[in-house]
Amino acid sequence: MELIILLVVVGVIIAFVVGIYNGLVSRRNRIEEALGQIQVQLKRRHDLIPNLVNAVKGYMGFEQKVLTDVTNARAAAVNAGTQGVAAQAQAENALTGTLKTLFANVEAYPDLKANQNVLSLQEEITTTENQISFSRQHYNASVLEYNNAIQVFPNVLLAGMFGFTKRDFFEAEPEAANVPNVDLSLS
C-alpha cells in the first residue's frame, strides 16, 4: 500500500514537472516564431530600400549624404541580424531614422513626390514599417509572457535547471518615447 502511494506521488510530481517544462518550451517557441516574423518584415524592408535609393538618386544628386546614410544604415542593419535582438533593434532603429530623413527630403522635390515609382516604394516601405511594428508588439508580448513564466513560483525552481533564461525585448527607437508636439493654433 505504501509503495502504491509512493508511486502515485512520484507520478504526480513527474507530471507536474513535465507540464511546467512543456509550457516553458511552448512559450519559448512562440518567441522564436514571433522573432521569425520580425525577420521576414525586416528582410522585406532591406530588399525595398535599394530600389527606393535608386529611384530617388537621379532627383537628389546633391543630397548624396542622405542616400549614403540610408545605404550604410541598411548594411549595418543587415549585419546586426546575427548579433542578437538588442543589437539588431538598435541597428534597425538607426535605419528607421535615416529613412525618415530620406522621406522628409523627398517632400522637398515636387517632381520626385509625383513619381509613381517613388510613391509606390514609399507606400510599400510604410506598410512594411507598420508590419514591423505589429511584429515587434507580438514578439514583446511573447517575451513578457515567457519571462513572467520563468520567474514565477514554482516554475523558477525548474526553469534555470532546464536552461530557460530571460529574453530581451525588441526595443523601439528612442524617438518613440517622445511625445509629438502638435500646434493647432490658428496663427
Side-chain angles (χ1 to χ4, degrees), residues 78-136:
V78 169
N79 291 332
T82 60
Q83 299 171 6
V85 173
Q88 185 173 21
Q90 184 177 8
E92 292 297 338
N93 292 337
L95 178 56
T96 298
T98 61
L99 283 174
K100 287 177 183 177
T101 302
L102 176 61
F103 287 163
N105 279 290
V106 166
E107 293 296 317
Y109 295 89
D111 291 343
L112 190 54
K113 281 185 0 183
N115 182 299
Q116 272 311 115
N117 191 27
V118 172
L119 290 174
S120 174
L121 286 167
Q122 273 188 296
E123 180 62 31
E124 284 188 57
I125 289 176
T126 300
T127 300
T128 302
E129 293 292 334
N130 290 336
Q131 291 297 327
I132 291 169
S133 177
F134 291 133
S135 296
R136 281 181 173 184

Side-chain angles (χ1 to χ4, degrees), residues 31-121:
I31 288 172
E32 295 305 320
E33 181 271 334
L35 186 58
Q37 291 301 317
I38 291 173
Q39 301 298 343
V40 166
Q41 297 305 324
L42 293 177
K43 169 110 174 65
R44 177 172 165 70
R45 177 168 73 166
H46 297 161
D47 292 346
L48 289 170
I49 289 171
N51 296 331
L52 179 64
V53 169
N54 287 333
V56 302
K57 196 178 283 186
Y59 291 93
M60 297 177 63
F62 67 91
E63 302 281 358
Q64 191 62 37
K65 181 183 179 329
V66 174
L67 299 177
T68 302
D69 289 349
V70 169
T71 303
N72 291 340
R74 177 194 175 273
V78 169
N79 291 332
T82 60
Q83 299 171 6
V85 173
Q88 185 173 21
Q90 184 177 8
E92 292 297 338
N93 292 337
L95 178 56
T96 298
T98 61
L99 283 174
K100 287 177 183 177
T101 302
L102 176 61
F103 287 163
N105 279 290
V106 166
E107 293 296 317
Y109 295 89
D111 291 343
L112 190 54
K113 281 185 0 183
N115 182 299
Q116 272 311 115
N117 191 27
V118 172
L119 290 174
S120 174
L121 286 167

Side-chain angles (χ1 to χ4, degrees), residues 31 143 146-148 150-151 159 163-169:
I31 288 172
V143 168
Y146 169 81
N147 285 345
N148 285 341
I150 66 170
Q151 294 173 359
F164 294 95
T165 58
K166 188 175 178 192
R167 300 294 288 263
D168 293 329
F169 291 100

